[in-house]
């Protein structure tokens, strides 16, 4: 099913298949989503500070995505089998995905340490660190990196 946005005429997307909620993906459009069953439309309330959302004030949700994508990318660079094992273990052991790891770095840490050679876990964690390093000015991301890699040298990093 394809619906046009009533405001900007762009395509509406059902982010959560089966939900019946169709979202506008246009970031500058104030239309949020329509409940297809009832036709009820939802729009953002326009406020001064939602109109300019620079990369410097990312909210919680984009950071979860950023961290999740960094983990995926790091795992993919190690090969499909490692990617599959980690994501499967996250799901089976914790009912989690890589996108939950910003809040729960210990899940990823436990999966890496419990299922792989230390060298593999180290490479993954280094690779994630390399990708996310430039975002470490966000407290939550810095905290994530610290929690992920509290091995020896970085254990007491002046807190
Ligand atoms: Zn729209």
């Amino acid at each position: 099913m394809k619906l046009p946005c009533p405001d900007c005429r762009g395509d509406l997307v059902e982010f959560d298949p089966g939900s019946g909620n169709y979202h506008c993906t246009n970031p500058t459009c104030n239309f949020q989503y329509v409940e297809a069953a009832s036709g009820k439309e939802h729009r953002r309330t326009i406020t001064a500070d939602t109109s300019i959302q620079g990369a410097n004030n990312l909210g919680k949700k984009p950071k979860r995505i950023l961290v999740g994508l960094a983990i995926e990318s790091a795992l993919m660079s190690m090969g499909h089998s490692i990617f599959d094992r980690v994501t499967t273990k996250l799901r089976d052991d914790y009912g989690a995905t890589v996108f939950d790891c910003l809040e729960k770095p210990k899940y990823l840490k436990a999966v890496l340490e419990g299922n792989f050679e230390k060298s593999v876990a180290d490479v993954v964690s280094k690779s994630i660190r390399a990708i996310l390093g430039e975002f470490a000015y966000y407290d939550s991301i810095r905290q994530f990196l610290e929690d992920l890699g509290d091995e020896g040298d970085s254990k007491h990093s002046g807190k």
Side-chain angles (χ1 to χ4, degrees), residues 5 7 17 48 59 61 68 71 73 77-78 81 114 143-145 147 154:
C5 173
D7 291 10
K61 200 173 169 191
I71 295 167
S73 164
S77 71
M78 307 282 295
S81 68
Q143 190 60 52
F144 166 80
L145 291 175
D147 290 349
S154 60

Side-chain angles (χ1 to χ4, degrees), residues 133-149:
E134 62 178 300
F135 298 99
Y137 56 89
Y138 290 119
D139 287 343
S140 56
I141 291 183
R142 185 167 54 243
Q143 190 60 52
F144 166 80
L145 291 175
E146 279 178 15
D147 290 349
L148 186 66

Side-chain angles (χ1 to χ4, degrees), residues 6 55 57 80 146 152 159:
N57 54 11
H80 265 282
E146 279 178 15
K159 272 221 287 205

Side-chain angles (χ1 to χ4, degrees), residues 4-12 23-32 44:
C5 173
D7 291 10
C8 72
R9 312 309 299 173
D11 287 338
L12 296 182
H23 300 252
C24 178
T25 56
N26 177 352
T28 61
C29 179
N30 284 309
F31 192 81
Q32 283 183 296
R44 287 183 250 279

